[in-house]
Amino acid sequence: MTRRGVLAAAAATAAAPFTLGEPATAGARSFKLSVLGTSDTHGNVYNWDYYRDAEYDDSAHNDVGVAKLAALINQIRGERGTTSLVLDAGDTIQGTPLATYYAKQEPITETGEKHPMAKAMNVLHYDAVTLGNHEFNYGLPLLNLWIKQLGFPALAANAVNVATGRPAFRPYLIKKLIVGGSTLRVGILGLTNPGVAIWDRANIEGLLRFEDLVATAAKYVPIMRRNGADLVLISAHGGDSGTSSYGPELPNENPSALIAERVPGIDAILFGHAHADVPQRFVTNAETGDQVLLSEPSKWGQRLTRMDFTLTRERGRWAVTAKQATTLNTNTVAEDPAVLKAVRKQHAKTVAYVNQVVATSIVELSAAESRYRDTPILDYINRVQTDTVTAALAGTEYAGLPVLSIAAPFSRTAVFPRGEVKIKDVAGLYIYDNTLEAVVLTGAEVKAYLEYSAKYFVTSAPGAPVDPATISDPAVPDYNYDVISGLAYDIDISEPVGRRIVFRDPVDPAARFVVAVNNYRRSGGGNFPGIVKTQVYNAQQEIRQLLIDWAQRRGTIDPADFFEPNWRLVRAGEPVFPEA
């Protein structure tokens, strides 16, 4: 749906409010219930871009943050009454410098301070939150403390304690609402993403395992029905595409539509993880023929899902007679002042932190062309990673091996300005909380890795016009295109996928290299070949902080210290983009 369509749908829903507990027609036992859903807020409370030090804005003029969501939720609660439900489908405590600050600079596990996302969400009085995969980024102690700070349950039925075989977190709850003088029991099942086993292996290995979402739903939905649930909702941190970014060794990453199709007894699914705006989708259950309602509210607090149910009460039983959903745009409201007040001091401390100057750059360095051209700013990442791993392995059995480094163009907008470079500039270049690791690869494995990465580009015939905006495959995200420093190579995009990498100097397939890489990729994120190996270096050092520390030590950022152009796009040997 277009943005205009989303707004129109939101306006249509808002124009016909209904009040929980009032019969829809005189003499009928029919009632209305609204379920409001958020997901993938990723540490956004204020409508603020910490990397630009300005109010958030994008080309579609979206807004972000829990404070914006709160304003919409409070409006609807005013229509519906306090018994409407508010759920979140996960990925809450990671994603902004605000969230990072209270996990890394002043971790709540050391200070005892309440996490800003706990403060913000407690103002809203959520009914439940599902754990997303990013909830596990900072380890179980921080996650467990955050859960204790919440004034509502955190759910994850498919996260199992390895030692006991029992659920590691609360699987579900049954919420009792008084509707028209009768009790309506709403079952809410939380499902987290199995990819945690890859992406945060270091934090959970030997402690937790993550079971299939479809199988877990099939297990718990009948239990919830037997325990009296009149309405069953699932809050799932997994998209609806049915695909996975990793291999078949783990359960499906995005199975929400499959759950609806294969598990009977579900009325609706709020889902997240894919960051898509899905106002309303119906999936037919294969066993019952019932229509299961699904909705996903985009990302970062840009949208709020609103599900509306029409219920009838006959002979002591509840039945759903109609249901619909839409997503509401948070750019239509002002931020809720109570949420802003709850987090104001923490927000101000984070703003002050990211505006600290760490170095001076002699020229402006931009990431804008890093997807298709070797740029100094991406080589800055590779130089820091190479230096760190080389120093750590000095005197070990790996000291004599060449050190390569892998980086990805995470950001198209990151810039080190000429002059003062601040923490926010470095954080904007490396937006993920990845740590640095290293493994040993052979020359053959390095080539296979690069061939896999090169599928990012569409095939282009020699001499054909080239537009940088369309040179990449839109199905492959920027963070799944990697470049490697330490070897000179061409990527020939006139060749088919799998036959694109040409080393400028021969590389022995049996040669051994130490390869510096982030923990997400080394653990299997992106399903790159050959990289999931035992680490020869893993000091649990965050790459973003290493970039900051390197700049602070030197005081000056000069491309002459780290820029070594070593790769280029070609077609039949001719550069696609001449040297700048």
Side-chain angles (χ1 to χ4, degrees):
M1 182 180 289
T2 64
R3 179 171 175 268
R4 180 177 294 179
V6 170
L7 290 172
T13 302
F18 39 68
T19 304
L20 186 66
E22 292 185 2
T25 58
R29 298 285 291 173
S30 181
F31 307 92
K32 303 289 186 179
L33 169 69
S34 287
V35 176
L36 309 179
T38 65
S39 188
D40 296 275
T41 50
H42 280 287
N44 287 281
V45 177
Y46 277 60
N47 183 42
W48 194 256
D49 186 335
Y50 292 93
Y51 305 120
R52 293 175 51 249
D53 197 25
E55 183 177 337
Y56 180 88
D57 194 22
D58 62 17
S59 60
H61 302 297
N62 289 301
D63 288 347
V64 299
V66 175
K68 286 278 187 170
L69 291 166
L72 278 178
I73 289 169
N74 288 336
Q75 281 185 4
I76 298 168
R77 276 176 168 161
E79 303 166 10
R80 311 295 300 120
T82 57
T83 51
S84 54
L85 295 175
V86 182
L87 308 178
D88 185 90
D91 273 8
T92 302
I93 60 172
Q94 175 276 340
T96 62
L98 173 69
T100 300
Y101 190 88
Y102 288 94
K104 295 293 186 178
Q105 275 69 49
E106 292 187 14
I108 61 170
T109 48
E110 295 180 7
T111 66
E113 186 170 359
K114 186 169 287 188
H115 195 284
M117 293 305 289
K119 288 185 177 181
M121 296 178 79
N122 284 344
V123 171
L124 266 175
H125 302 292
Y126 276 78
D127 292 285
V129 60
T130 293
L131 300 183
N133 53 283
H134 283 289
E135 263 65 81
F136 297 85
N137 284 173
Y138 304 115
L140 295 179
L142 188 139
L143 172 56
N144 290 331
L145 178 56
W146 175 70
I147 291 173
K148 289 179 182 178
Q149 293 176 343
L150 297 174
F152 48 88
L155 309 176
N158 60 315
V160 176
N161 185 304
V162 170
T164 67
R166 298 175 60 83
F169 306 95
R170 185 168 177 172
Y172 69 91
L173 76 152
I174 295 180
K175 188 82 174 182
K176 295 181 181 180
L177 307 177
I178 303 302
V179 180
S182 298
T183 300
L184 173 70
R185 293 173 175 83
V186 181
I188 304 162
L189 176 68
L191 300 171
T192 192
N193 203 284
V196 175
I198 289 177
W199 304 320
D200 279 293
R201 180 174 294 162
N203 292 330
I204 58 85
E205 192 165 29
L207 301 173
L208 302 179
R209 69 173 187 266
F210 296 84
E211 298 184 341
D212 182 86
L213 278 75
V214 180
T216 303
K219 172 183 176 180
Y220 279 102
V221 169
I223 292 173
M224 295 162 68
R225 290 290 187 183
R226 288 198 299 270
N227 286 338
D230 303 299
L231 188 75
V232 170
L233 308 175
I234 289 183
S235 176
H237 195 76
D240 63 343
S241 67
T243 62
S244 295
S245 65
Y246 42 72
E249 69 275 11
L250 288 179
N252 193 285
E253 179 182 355
N254 293 297
S256 290
L258 297 174
I259 297 170
E261 178 186 349
R262 297 176 183 177
V263 181
I266 300 167
D267 293 289
I269 300 176
L270 171 72
F271 67 96
H273 185 61
H275 291 197
D277 183 10
V278 183
Q280 175 178 275
R281 178 182 178 185
F282 284 98
V283 174
T284 302
N285 184 265
E287 180 175 329
T288 65
D290 292 340
Q291 296 294 298
V292 182
L293 176 63
L294 289 81
S295 182
E296 181 179 23
S298 188
K299 62 183 179 182
W300 306 345
Q302 293 178 355
R303 301 289 186 273
L304 172 72
T305 279
R306 175 174 179 166
M307 296 179 173
D308 291 321
F309 299 86
T310 302
L311 306 167
T312 58
R313 176 81 173 171
E314 293 185 81
R315 298 178 182 179
R317 297 178 65 87
W318 289 100
V320 178
T321 58
K323 50 191 170 184
Q324 63 181 15
T326 190
T327 53
L328 310 179
N329 197 320
T330 60
N331 70 6
T332 61
V333 294
E335 293 172 287
D336 179 75
V339 172
L340 296 182
K341 180 181 179 182
V343 185
R344 182 168 289 122
K345 290 182 180 179
Q346 292 171 313
H347 168 72
K349 183 175 285 189
T350 303
V351 170
Y353 170 74
V354 299
N355 278 285
Q356 292 179 35
V357 176
V358 293
T360 300
S361 180
I362 67 169
V363 294
E364 179 179 286
L365 301 178
S366 171
E369 298 182 334
S370 293
R371 296 174 300 116
Y372 54 87
R373 193 196 301 276
D374 197 346
T375 57
I377 201 167
L378 213 60
D379 272 6
Y380 176 77
I381 298 173
N382 277 327
R383 175 60 186 274
V384 172
Q385 294 184 164
T386 299
D387 284 359
T388 303
V389 170
T390 299
L393 296 181
T396 72
E397 62 181 297
Y398 306 104
L401 297 181
V403 178
L404 313 181
S405 177
I406 295 173
F410 293 148
S411 172
R412 301 188 187 192
T413 59
V415 174
F416 288 179
R418 180 178 180 179
E420 291 183 343
V421 176
K422 300 177 180 179
I423 286 176
K424 69 181 179 69
D425 302 317
V426 181
L429 173 62
Y430 208 98
I431 59 176
Y432 297 109
D433 299 323
N434 293 331
T435 57
L436 182 61
E437 300 183 2
V439 297
V440 173
L441 299 185
T442 66
E445 289 171 327
V446 170
K447 187 174 188 300
Y449 190 101
L450 288 171
E451 291 284 6
Y452 183 88
S453 179
K455 69 178 182 160
Y456 175 74
F457 298 103
V458 297
T459 302
S460 177
V466 176
D467 181 352
T470 58
I471 198 171
S472 59
D473 183 342
V476 182
D478 293 345
Y479 59 78
N480 272 348
Y481 169 58
D482 287 357
V483 299
I484 291 182
S485 69
L487 293 172
Y489 62 95
D490 291 343
I491 306 170
D492 192 337
I493 60 174
S494 68
E495 293 290 331
V497 171
R499 297 211 312 259
R500 292 181 165 179
I501 301 302
V502 180
F503 291 114
R504 295 180 207 161
D505 295 311
V507 174
D508 183 350
R512 298 171 74 231
F513 300 90
V514 171
V515 181
V517 62
N518 69 63
N519 67 297
Y520 170 83
R521 187 69 80 232
R522 204 282 313 165
S523 297
N527 203 27
F528 277 66
I531 199 70
V532 181
K533 293 190 173 186
T534 301
Q535 308 96 313
V536 298
Y537 166 82
N538 181 16
Q540 291 292 296
Q541 291 186 290
E542 190 177 291
I543 294 171
R544 183 193 296 123
Q545 191 62 47
L546 290 171
L547 300 178
I548 293 169
D549 293 344
W550 198 89
Q552 284 180 316
R553 284 195 303 270
R554 291 180 175 250
T556 300
I557 296 176
D558 183 349
D561 293 335
F562 49 81
F563 185 37
E564 297 180 6
N566 69 296
W567 67 271
R568 61 181 181 172
L569 294 185
V570 303
R571 291 181 298 188
E574 292 297 317
V576 176
F577 301 105
E579 293 299 319

